[in-house]
C-alpha cells in the first residue's frame, strides 16, 4: 500500500514537471518558383524568404512567461543557408520574458521600424523584387550598415544584433515597440561620400548606439504606424503609413519614408520614398497592385509599378504570379543611373507554410 501511494505521488510530481516544461513549436515555409529578370537567365528562385524556426513559451506563474525563438533562412533550390552563407539563425535568435508589462527580449531580430513598415505594401513585406519593402518603402535605408558576412554572402540590412527589444501591451488597438543595440563591432567598413563625410574602417566600433521605435494602431478596418530609427553610423529614417479595408474585398494602403544620411554622405544626404498600393480579393484569390517612387538628392527618381496574383489552394498553400517594372534605377554611391537602369521582373511559383 505504501509503495502504491509512493508511485502515485511520484507520478503526480512528474506530471507537474511536464506541465511546466516549455511548449515548443516547429514552423516555417518553403517558397520556390521560376524567376526571369532583365539581363538574367530563367532560374529557380523564390518570392518569399524560406524559413525554419523553433519557438516556445514556459508558464512561470503569476502571469509571467519565459519565451524564446530562433529562426534560420535557406535557399529552396540548393538547401544552403540564405544568400550564400548568412549566419545559421540570421532570421532571429531571441529569448525573453512576457507579462502584464509587455514583452522584453534579448538577441537578434527585425528592428521595430523594419518589422512594421512592410505591413503597408501589397506584397506583405516579402523580399521579392516585385514588392516594394526592401528598397522603396524604406527609402533605401540600411539598419546595419557596418554588418559584414565572413562567409562571402551579403549581410542582412533590416535587423539589430546584440540588442534588447520591447513590445508594450496593446491598448485599444495601440502598441509601442522599441529596440536598442550595443556598439559592438561587426567587422564591416563604410566609405564616406563627399567632403567632410565620416568613414568607418573595418572592425571599427560604431559611433552611436542604434535604436528604433515604432507606434502602431490596428483596430477594425483601419491600421496605421509611425516609426523612427537611427543606425550605428548616425543615418536616420522616419516613416508614416496607413491602410484601410474600404470593402470586405478591397484594401488600400500607403507609405511615406524619409532618410537622412548627412553624417556619411554630404553630397546626397536625403532620400524619400513613397508607395501606394491595393489588394483585391476575388474568390479564393487576391490581386496585388502598387506604384512607388524613390528619390535620392540630386539624382533621377526611381519608379516602380507591380502587379501580382495569389491563388489559395488551402489555408497553408498558394500559387502566385508577379510582373514588375523598375525604371531609372540609381547607383547610390555615384548618384548616376545604374548599369542596367530598367529592370523587368517576372515570377511564378508556389508557397507552402507549415
Amino acid at each position: 500500500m505504501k509503495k502504491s501511494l509512493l508511485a502515485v505521488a511520484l507520478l503526480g510530481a512528474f506530471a507537474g514537471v511536464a506541465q511546466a516544461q516549455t511548449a515548443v513549436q516547429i514552423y516555417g515555409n518553403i517558397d520556390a518558383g521560376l524567376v526571369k529578370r532583365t539581363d538574367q537567365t530563367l532560374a529557380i528562385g523564390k518570392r518569399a524568404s524560406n524559413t525554419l524556426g523553433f519557438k516556445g513559451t514556459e508558464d512561470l506563474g503569476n502571469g509571467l512567461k519565459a519565451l524564446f525563438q530562433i529562426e534560420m533562412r535557406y535557399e529552396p533550390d540548393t538547401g544552403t543557408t540564405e544568400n550564400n552563407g548568412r549566419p545559421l539563425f540570421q532570421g532571429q535568435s531571441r529569448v525573453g520574458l512576457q507579462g502584464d508589462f509587455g514583452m522584453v527580449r534579448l538577441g537578434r531580430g527585425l528592428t521595430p521600424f523594419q518589422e512594421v513598415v512592410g505591413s503597408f505594401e501589397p506584397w506583405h513585406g516579402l523580399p521579392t523584387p516585385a514588392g516594394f519593402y526592401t528598397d522603396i518603402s524604406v527609402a533605401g535605408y540600411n539598419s546595419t550598415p557596418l554588418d559584414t558576412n565572413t562567409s562571402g554572402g551579403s549581410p542582412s540590412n533590416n535587423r539589430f544584433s546584440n540588442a534588447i527589444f520591447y513590445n508594450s501591451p496593446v491598448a485599444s488597438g495601440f502598441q509601442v515597440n522599441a529596440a536598442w543595440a550595443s556598439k559592438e563591432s561587426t567587422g564591416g567598413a563604410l566609405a564616406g561620400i563627399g567632403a567632410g563625410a565620416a568613414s568607418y574602417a573595418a572592425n571599427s566600433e560604431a559611433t552611436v548606439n542604434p535604436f528604433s521605435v515604432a507606434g502602431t494602431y490596428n483596430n477594425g478596418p483601419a491600421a496605421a504606424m509611425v516609426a523612427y530609427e537611427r543606425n550605428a553610423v548616425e543615418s536616420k529614417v522616419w516613416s508614416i503609413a496607413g491602410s484601410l479595408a474600404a470593402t470586405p474585398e478591397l484594401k488600400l494602403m500607403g507609405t511615406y519614408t524619409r532618410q537622412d544620411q548627412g553624417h556619411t554622405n554630404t553630397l546626397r544626404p536625403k532620400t524619400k520614398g513613397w508607395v501606394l498600393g491595393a489588394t483585391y480579393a476575388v474568390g479564393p484569390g487576391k490581386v496585388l497592385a502598387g506604384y512607388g517612387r524613390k528619390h535620392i538628392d540630386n539624382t533621377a527618381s526611381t519608379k516602380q509599378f507591380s502587379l501580382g496574383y495569389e491563388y489559395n489552394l488551402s489555408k497553408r498553400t498558394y500559387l502566385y504570379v508577379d510582373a514588375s517594372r523598375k525604371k531609372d534605377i540609381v547607383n547610390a554611391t555615384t548618384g548616376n543611373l545604374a548599369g542596367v537602369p530598367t529592370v523587368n521582373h517576372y515570377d511564378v511559383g508556389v508557397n507552402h507554410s507549415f
Side-chain angles (χ1 to χ4, degrees), residues 13 34 61 64 80 98 123 134 147 167 196 203 210-211 217 226-227 236 243 257 265 275 284 300 322 346-347 353:
L34 295 173
L64 187 64
T80 57
Q98 183 175 11
W123 275 259
T134 58
D147 270 11
N167 303 86
N203 299 311
F211 72 88
Y217 172 79
V226 58
K236 307 170 186 69
S243 66
T257 305
N265 187 341
V275 176
D322 298 307
Y346 308 96
D347 61 47
S353 299

Side-chain angles (χ1 to χ4, degrees), residues 31 47 124 126 248-249 279-288 308-321 349-353:
D31 181 297
R47 184 190 200 228
H124 335 296
L126 299 178
E249 298 81 17
T279 62
Y280 189 80
V282 183
K286 182 189 296 183
V287 177
L288 319 175
Y309 179 69
E310 298 173 355
Y311 184 84
N312 295 311
L313 298 175
S314 71
K315 290 183 178 180
R316 295 185 294 129
T317 304
Y318 67 86
L319 304 175
Y320 61 82
V321 58
V350 58
N351 183 295
H352 173 76
S353 299

Side-chain angles (χ1 to χ4, degrees), residues 144-194:
T144 52
L146 296 179
D147 270 11
T148 187
N149 191 330
T150 55
S151 300
S154 63
S156 175
N157 62 7
N158 54 7
R159 288 165 169 79
F160 282 166
S161 296
N162 309 306
I164 180 170
F165 301 83
Y166 173 70
N167 303 86
S168 77
V170 179
S172 301
F174 291 96
Q175 186 177 37
V176 176
N177 307 310
W180 177 92
S182 72
K183 296 194 288 186
E184 296 177 46
S185 169
T186 51
L190 181 70
I193 300 174

Side-chain angles (χ1 to χ4, degrees), residues 6 13 34 39 51 54 69 105 251 255 262 268 272 277 300-301:
L6 178 60
L34 295 173
D39 288 350
T51 61
F54 305 84
Q69 187 169 5
R105 293 170 291 174
K251 184 177 181 180
T255 304
R268 294 172 294 277
K272 61 183 179 182
S301 290

Side-chain angles (χ1 to χ4, degrees), residues 52-302:
L52 174 63
F54 305 84
K55 61 183 178 180
T57 61
E58 182 183 10
D59 192 344
L60 303 176
N62 298 317
L64 187 64
K65 293 181 180 180
L67 51 89
F68 82 93
Q69 187 169 5
I70 55 175
E71 183 179 289
M72 65 173 290
R73 302 292 181 84
Y74 63 93
E75 299 294 359
D77 52 344
T78 62
T80 57
T81 53
E82 186 179 66
N83 222 344
N84 191 27
R86 284 177 174 172
L88 179 60
F89 292 113
Q90 84 93 9
Q92 66 174 303
S93 55
R94 295 188 280 196
V95 63
L97 296 172
Q98 183 175 11
D100 294 338
F101 55 84
M103 181 165 56
V104 177
R105 293 170 291 174
L106 294 167
R108 169 183 170 82
L110 284 168
T111 75
F113 161 65
Q114 299 278 3
E115 192 165 29
V116 300
V117 71
S119 303
F120 295 89
E121 64 96 27
W123 275 259
H124 335 296
L126 299 178
T128 171
F132 300 87
Y133 164 56
T134 58
D135 183 28
I136 295 181
S137 288
V138 299
Y141 175 77
N142 187 339
S143 292
T144 52
L146 296 179
D147 270 11
T148 187
N149 191 330
T150 55
S151 300
S154 63
S156 175
N157 62 7
N158 54 7
R159 288 165 169 79
F160 282 166
S161 296
N162 309 306
I164 180 170
F165 301 83
Y166 173 70
N167 303 86
S168 77
V170 179
S172 301
F174 291 96
Q175 186 177 37
V176 176
N177 307 310
W180 177 92
S182 72
K183 296 194 288 186
E184 296 177 46
S185 169
T186 51
L190 181 70
I193 300 174
S199 296
Y200 294 79
N203 299 311
S204 61
E205 185 180 85
T207 53
V208 294
N209 289 100
F211 72 88
S212 181
V213 60
T216 60
Y217 172 79
N218 196 333
N219 197 353
M225 76 95 182
V226 58
Y228 180 83
E229 182 172 311
R230 182 190 68 190
N231 64 23
V233 298
E234 302 185 49
S235 296
K236 307 170 186 69
V237 65
W238 65 267
S239 183
I240 57 173
S243 66
L244 177 67
T247 71
E249 298 81 17
L250 177 64
K251 184 177 181 180
L252 305 174
M253 60 200 74
T255 304
Y256 179 81
T257 305
R258 286 187 71 97
Q259 177 186 187
D260 183 353
Q261 295 175 284
H263 186 65
T264 56
N265 187 341
T266 58
L267 292 181
R268 294 172 294 277
K270 303 291 178 60
T271 304
K272 61 183 179 182
W274 58 265
V275 176
L276 294 176
T279 62
Y280 189 80
V282 183
K286 182 189 296 183
V287 177
L288 319 175
Y291 179 79
R293 287 197 178 200
K294 183 182 75 171
H295 182 240
I296 303 173
D297 277 349
N298 305 313
T299 69
S301 290
T302 300

